[in-house]
């Protein structure tokens, strides 16, 4: 039985999604819980994407094959009772055997939250910025990202990833009361890519770099080292499948 499930989590206390030895991770906590409830199963949880340390999700998707016929509502009620209360599985469904949470995904959508007014309730889920920010410049940066680009200069260097091209379908900033919210949708994302995009966009909007400098970064033609925005403002919001 191939099960797809959607979860949300506060990534503050975790070293990202992917299992790491001796460090708490989302995938690691889930694996321990499933192994406790299903001790005779080989548990291999596949996530749609590997969120980094401190990054959150309200739409992460995972998949898991199990050989036994189990009561799924009871299973997931048990799992939610075991895992920490900063992780929660929202829903689940049985998929065909070929479904893979990572490789079957067609689009991923992230949101990044910036607060212009400090609040202790938002300190772990938004980047606090009190600087004057030119929203029109932010919008210009967002528009420049639409289409297919080589994001070598707007991602963390990883020699294992040969293809650095990503297709951006949606890129927009929303100025909402005391918040700036950035939404970006693409076929794939590279390591730290959204955080570099947000950091460089803010630098442009604060006139620390020129709009042309940002466009050069998008076109992989710059010698500027972009700023990487903090992880805490980033959410994996939605993963879509065909």
């Amino acid at each position: 039985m191939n099960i797809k499930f959607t979860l949300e989590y506060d990534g503050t206390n975790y070293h990202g999604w992917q299992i790491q030895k001796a460090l708490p991770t989302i995938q690691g906590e889930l694996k321990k819980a499933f192994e406790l409830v299903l001790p005779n199963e080989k548990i291999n949880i596949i996530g749609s994407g590997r969120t980094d340390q401190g990054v959150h999700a309200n739409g992460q998707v995972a998949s898991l094959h199990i050989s036994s016929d189990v009561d799924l509502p009871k299973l997931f009620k048990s799992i939610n009772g075991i895992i920490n209360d900063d992780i929660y599985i929202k829903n689940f469904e049985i998929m065909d055997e070929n479904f893979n949470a990572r490789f079957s995904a067609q689009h991923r959508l992230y949101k990044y939250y910036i607060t212009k007014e400090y609040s202790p309730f938002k300190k772990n889920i938004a980047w606090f910025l009190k600087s004057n920010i030119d929203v029109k410049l932010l919008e210009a940066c967002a528009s420049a990202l639409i289409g297919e680009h080589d994001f070598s200069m707007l991602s963390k260097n990883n020699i294992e990833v040969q293809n650095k091209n990503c297709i951006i379908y949606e890129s927009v900033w929303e100025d909402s009361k005391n918040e700036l919210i950035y939404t970006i949708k693409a076929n794939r994302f590279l390591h730290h890519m959204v955080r570099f995009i947000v950091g460089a966009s803010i630098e442009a909007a604060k006139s620390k770099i020129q709009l042309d400098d940002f466009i050069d970064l998008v076109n992989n033609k710059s010698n500027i080292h972009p700023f990487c925005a903090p992880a805490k403002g980033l959410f994996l919001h939605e993963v879509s499948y065909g």
Side-chain angles (χ1 to χ4, degrees), residues 11-12 52-56 110-115 122-129 173 182 192-200 202-203 206 226-235:
T12 303
D52 297 327
Q53 180 177 355
V55 174
H56 317 291
Y110 281 86
K111 287 183 179 287
Y112 194 98
Y113 294 86
I114 294 172
T115 180
K122 294 184 178 180
K123 67 178 183 178
N124 292 325
I125 58 170
W127 180 18
F128 169 55
L129 278 180
W173 283 91
Y182 178 57
H192 289 181
M193 177 175 150
V194 181
R195 292 169 59 192
F196 274 115
I197 287 171
V198 170
I202 291 296
E203 294 289 273
K206 291 163 64 176
F227 175 72
C228 186
K232 60 185 178 181
L234 184 59
F235 285 72

Side-chain angles (χ1 to χ4, degrees), residues 12-73:
T12 303
N13 297 320
Y14 299 94
H15 288 255
W17 165 266
Q18 189 175 12
I19 288 177
Q20 298 183 48
K21 288 184 179 179
L23 292 173
T25 67
I26 305 298
Q27 188 184 37
E29 294 302 305
L30 290 169
K31 181 178 173 65
K32 285 190 294 184
F34 275 101
E35 287 177 339
L36 187 62
V37 178
L38 302 170
N40 297 320
E41 294 283 348
K42 182 179 180 181
I43 302 300
N44 180 29
I45 299 168
I46 300 167
S48 67
R50 298 173 180 176
T51 53
D52 297 327
Q53 180 177 355
V55 174
H56 317 291
N58 44 24
Q60 172 70 287
V61 177
S63 57
L64 169 69
H65 277 89
I66 57 174
S67 59
S68 55
D69 186 14
V70 299
D71 183 334
L72 290 183

Side-chain angles (χ1 to χ4, degrees), residues 110-176:
Y110 281 86
K111 287 183 179 287
Y112 194 98
Y113 294 86
I114 294 172
T115 180
K116 294 180 275 184
E117 186 176 87
Y118 178 78
S119 167
F121 299 107
K122 294 184 178 180
K123 67 178 183 178
N124 292 325
I125 58 170
W127 180 18
F128 169 55
L129 278 180
K130 59 182 179 180
S131 308
N132 290 327
I133 297 168
D134 188 331
V135 177
K136 288 186 177 180
L137 281 172
L138 281 181
E139 292 170 347
C141 290
S143 295
L145 287 158
I146 298 295
E148 183 171 1
H149 305 280
D150 180 340
F151 283 93
S152 295
M153 291 187 172
L154 285 169
S155 63
K156 185 176 180 179
N157 185 39
N158 184 348
I159 59 173
E160 294 180 1
V161 178
Q162 299 299 316
N163 177 18
K164 302 294 180 70
N165 279 32
C166 304
I167 304 171
I168 309 300
Y169 299 100
E170 182 179 350
S171 174
V172 62
W173 283 91
E174 177 186 355
D175 188 4
S176 175

